[in-house]
Amino acid sequence: MKLVFAGTPEFAAVALQRLLEAGHEVPLVLTQPDRPAGRGMKLQPSAVKLLALDHGLQVAQPRSLRLDGKFPEDAQATQWLLRDVGADAMVVAAYGLILPQWVLDTPAKGCLNIHASLLPRWRGAAPIHRAIEAGDLETGVTIMLMDAGLDTGDMLLMERLPIAADDSTARLHDKLAALGGRLIVDALARLDTLRRTPQPTEGVTYAHKIEKHEALIDWTQAAELLARRVRAFDPFPGALTHVGSDNLKVWSARVDPGDAAGAAPGTVLGCDAQGVRVATGQGVLCLTELQRAGGKRLPAAQFLAGAGLRPGLRLGQNDTGAPHVS
């Protein structure tokens, strides 16, 4: 088919690569504008843009697609491009811009979305993170025909994927990206015969965007929830606590079978090569991979060799003993 592709991060780049390998023609790629990133805050192109340019594809980076929005000139220019291309369909994966009705109506066979959840569970921006955080046992990918709602379109294909006990968002992302790339190629090959299935009205949940303030660990929460949140927030924004005025990132943790013995939440109970045991509101959390500000992610044994953690310290408090707030 002749396709327009719209996507931004690595999840979308995997799908674009699979579409190109399958022989589809992609005369136009839409992706988000370059964003400042890194310590120097230099403008960085998206993963999709880099892949598209590597294949010599035309790239457009509108700031908005709304003809009556803040950047109508971007929307108008994109409208001309889409009409000129005359695509059979548009494939959308983690694009990051709302598609107004005029975009949905432009491709002859509609707009297909690759969504990393089992719809209608986890509609929205962060389905992978929220599935892990919630303790879901499985997730998957849904290929749907887009409509004007937020991930509300009719479903074409769905495939389930178990969530492993040690899956972080980074690990699960890679599995789902590969699955999404395979499913979209399959869906396009059978597009004229696939059955459109309306989404159920029951079981709808929303995967709200991950905010930086969520990184701060609340030690009064249960160890089981905190362990899931550590996995859900790897690689972004990372789980954060404090030792006095110093930041401490926690990248890996597990529930410890031990007893907090009445210790206040956030109290370090023990430190050894197996990890840093910390009391929580319910149970004990063992921190197994940590990172100090400006340092590297290290296993607990290596981290403790150069750190001042010791039993009795209270994590999550500033130098005055008051709790840190986000």
Side-chain angles (χ1 to χ4, degrees):
M1 288 187 184
K2 182 187 289 187
L3 304 173
V4 171
F5 185 87
T8 298
E10 183 61 30
F11 180 88
V14 171
L16 176 57
Q17 180 65 43
R18 287 297 301 269
L19 291 170
L20 294 171
E21 290 172 355
H24 292 287
E25 180 185 355
V26 185
L28 177 63
V29 170
L30 305 181
T31 191
Q32 287 268 7
D34 297 358
R35 305 291 188 195
R39 292 187 177 181
M41 295 302 286
K42 295 181 179 179
L43 289 177
Q44 300 290 333
S46 71
V48 164
K49 180 179 179 179
L50 290 173
L51 178 62
L53 294 179
D54 188 52
H55 286 271
L57 307 179
Q58 181 182 13
V59 175
Q61 298 175 272
R63 293 164 290 180
S64 171
L65 293 172
R66 291 184 54 184
L67 295 169
D68 59 349
K70 188 176 180 180
F71 303 104
E73 65 279 8
D74 285 26
Q76 291 165 4
T78 307
Q79 188 176 46
W80 283 108
L81 285 173
L82 290 176
R83 288 175 176 174
D84 185 58
V85 164
D88 299 309
M90 177 185 287
V91 173
V92 182
Y95 179 30
L97 287 185
I98 299 292
L99 300 190
Q101 193 63 47
W102 74 262
V103 177
L104 300 176
D105 292 340
T106 299
K109 296 180 182 292
C111 298
L112 283 71
N113 180 246
I114 309 169
H115 189 75
S117 82
L118 302 174
L119 291 171
R121 186 162 177 80
W122 302 128
R123 295 172 177 170
I128 303 175
H129 306 74
R130 299 306 183 190
I132 293 175
E133 183 184 22
D136 290 1
L137 298 179
E138 65 175 2
T139 183
V141 168
T142 305
I143 306 296
M144 67 173 179
L145 279 171
M146 299 180 70
D147 60 18
L150 177 61
D151 299 328
T152 56
D154 290 348
M155 302 179 293
L156 297 176
L157 280 179
M158 177 185 289
E159 188 166 322
R160 298 175 181 273
L161 182 74
I163 300 178
D166 61 348
D167 270 341
S168 63
T169 288
R171 293 193 194 100
L172 190 55
H173 165 279
D174 291 349
K175 298 177 187 178
L176 290 169
L179 176 57
R182 176 169 61 79
L183 281 189
I184 190 60
V185 171
D186 185 14
L188 290 171
R190 299 188 287 136
L191 188 55
D192 293 333
T193 59
L194 284 175
R195 179 183 177 184
R196 296 176 56 158
T197 304
Q199 293 187 32
T201 56
E202 296 182 354
V204 175
T205 58
Y206 288 93
H208 298 289
K209 180 182 177 182
I210 302 296
E211 303 288 351
K212 285 187 177 181
H213 71 81
E214 296 184 72
L216 192 63
I217 296 175
D218 179 358
W219 292 106
T220 65
Q221 294 179 332
E224 184 175 340
L225 172 58
L226 293 178
R228 296 200 304 263
R229 289 172 67 87
V230 168
R231 292 189 291 119
F233 296 161
D234 176 7
F236 175 85
L240 174 69
T241 191
H242 298 88
V243 183
S245 59
D246 295 330
N247 290 340
L248 179 64
K249 283 284 186 78
V250 180
W251 292 109
S252 182
R254 55 178 170 79
V255 177
D256 190 274
D259 184 6
T267 301
V268 176
L269 303 174
C271 305
D272 56 35
Q274 304 305 311
V276 179
R277 298 172 62 249
V278 184
T280 73
Q282 182 179 338
V284 177
L285 189 68
C286 184
L287 317 182
T288 57
E289 186 179 12
L290 305 99
Q291 179 184 13
R292 67 177 68 192
K296 298 179 180 180
R297 295 171 57 154
L298 295 173
Q302 296 180 35
F303 180 85
L304 290 170
L309 290 183
R310 63 182 186 278
L313 280 178
R314 187 90 178 271
L315 303 183
Q317 293 188 333
N318 59 31
D319 291 330
T320 67
H324 280 277
V325 295
S326 58

